[in-house]
């Protein structure tokens, strides 16, 4: 339930950055000076021959990241049924910082000429379409899996009747123990595709998400196997048929 705070921060912060990026679209518009100063140290000031595509890719990724946070916040508030688990204060603080940093990381990918208020042309490329389709596909499955988990603790009427753990079935749960973690990883991969595959900075973000979600999935998988003797043997922990 503490992850709700992370998504509140993400919705507010990334929505704020998104507004400023849209404002920079207008003739004579630019990012505020304090953002330019911050990202001059963290980002890049070089011009790019493909600045139009890079700018569109960055604003599309920031938009999808904001929409992802909005959906996850809504699911935390109205879909998921949480137990009484707690979170370590270090992990809590790190989580808050992460969702601020990840939006700033996207903003760093905006070419310097748009930061300085110069108008750019935009061209939609094939990797934008592929990335968005993958994002939608992974998001739909993540939502379905979270609904399945929530329904394990609800009656048919939708009333919460238990906070205990049960074995989930349906959708990607037929192949892996934690498909919602796998879907999270795919969502970040889809954003790497939208950025044109070659963005090393975002692939570092993807690798962090991979190891973070894989570790959580392994721990969850071991919990299932330890506490449920009839747990399906063919299920993997994180990636279908692989791991």
């Amino acid at each position: 339930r503490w992850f709700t705070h992370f998504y509140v921060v993400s919705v507010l912060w990334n929505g704020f950055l998104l507004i400023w990026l849209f404002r920079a679209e207008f003739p004579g518009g630019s990012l505020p000076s304090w953002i330019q100063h911050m990202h001059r140290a963290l980002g890049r000031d070089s011009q790019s021959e493909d600045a139009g595509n890079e700018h569109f890719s960055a604003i599309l990724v920031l938009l999808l990241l904001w929409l992802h946070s909005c959906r996850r916040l809504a699911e935390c508030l109205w879909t998921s049924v949480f137990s009484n688990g707690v979170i370590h204060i270090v992990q809590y603080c790190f989580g808050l910082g992460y969702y601020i940093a990840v939006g700033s990381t996207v903003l760093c990918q905006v070419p310097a000429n748009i930061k300085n208020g110069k108008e750019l042309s935009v061209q939609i490329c094939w990797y934008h379409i592929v990335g968005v389709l993958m994002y939608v596909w992974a998001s739909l499955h993540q939502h379905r899996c979270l609904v399945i988990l929530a329904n394990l603790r609800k009656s048919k009427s939708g009333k919460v009747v238990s906070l205990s753990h049960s074995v989930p079935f349906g959708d990607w749960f037929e192949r892996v123990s934690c498909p919602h973690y796998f879907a999270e990883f795919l969502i970040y991969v889809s954003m790497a595709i939208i950025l044109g595959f070659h963005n090393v900075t975002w692939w570092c973000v993807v690798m962090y998400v991979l190891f973070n979600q894989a570790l959580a999935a392994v721990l969850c998988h071991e919990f299932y196997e330890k506490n449920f003797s009839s747990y399906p043997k063919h299920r993997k922990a994180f990636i279908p048929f692989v791991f």
Side-chain angles (χ1 to χ4, degrees), residues 45-212:
D45 291 319
S46 60
Q47 303 297 323
S48 171
E49 295 180 356
D50 197 25
N53 280 354
E54 290 183 354
H55 169 234
F56 179 69
S57 297
I59 198 170
L60 182 57
V61 167
L62 190 58
L63 174 62
L64 294 180
L65 184 65
W66 180 75
L67 290 174
H68 175 63
S69 300
C70 289
R71 177 179 62 82
R72 291 294 295 116
L73 176 59
E75 289 166 343
C76 285
L77 293 175
W78 297 298
T79 301
S80 299
V81 180
F82 299 104
S83 63
N84 296 319
V86 296
I87 187 172
H88 195 283
I89 184 63
V90 174
Q91 184 184 5
Y92 179 78
C93 293
F94 180 84
L96 294 176
Y98 168 79
Y99 282 98
I100 293 175
V102 73
S104 302
T105 299
V106 177
L107 197 59
C108 285
Q109 311 312 306
V110 177
N113 41 6
I114 194 64
K115 293 178 185 178
N116 296 330
K118 295 183 180 179
E119 188 176 2
L120 293 173
S121 60
V122 172
Q123 180 179 357
I124 298 177
C125 296
W126 64 269
Y127 51 80
H128 294 141
I129 298 174
V130 172
V132 169
L133 290 176
M134 183 176 180
Y135 171 90
V136 172
W137 175 64
S139 297
L140 286 173
H141 280 284
Q142 186 178 55
H143 177 71
R144 289 174 185 172
C145 292
L146 291 171
V147 169
I148 290 173
L149 285 176
N151 287 339
L152 292 175
R153 295 176 171 178
K154 296 179 180 179
S155 64
K156 292 183 179 181
S157 63
K159 182 180 179 181
V160 176
V161 294
S162 173
L163 295 181
S164 61
H165 292 84
S166 304
V167 178
F169 292 92
D171 205 77
W172 286 358
F173 279 110
E174 299 302 321
R175 296 298 177 185
V176 289
S177 296
C178 301
H180 47 306
Y181 295 156
F182 179 55
E184 183 82 4
F185 168 65
L186 292 180
I187 287 170
Y188 278 84
V189 170
S190 72
M191 295 178 188
I193 295 174
I194 292 172
L195 289 170
F197 290 97
H198 60 273
N199 192 296
V200 177
T201 302
W202 194 257
W203 279 112
C204 290
V205 176
V206 171
M207 292 306 295
Y208 163 76
V209 173
L210 170 62
F211 290 118
N212 178 273

Side-chain angles (χ1 to χ4, degrees), residues 200-236:
V200 177
T201 302
W202 194 257
W203 279 112
C204 290
V205 176
V206 171
M207 292 306 295
Y208 163 76
V209 173
L210 170 62
F211 290 118
N212 178 273
Q213 299 296 296
L215 175 59
V218 168
L219 294 175
C220 187
H221 183 72
E222 291 177 348
F223 172 86
Y224 280 131
E225 290 185 321
K226 180 181 179 181
N227 291 275
F228 299 96
S229 57
S230 60
Y231 192 71
K233 301 295 182 183
H234 67 276
R235 288 191 191 180
K236 299 297 183 180

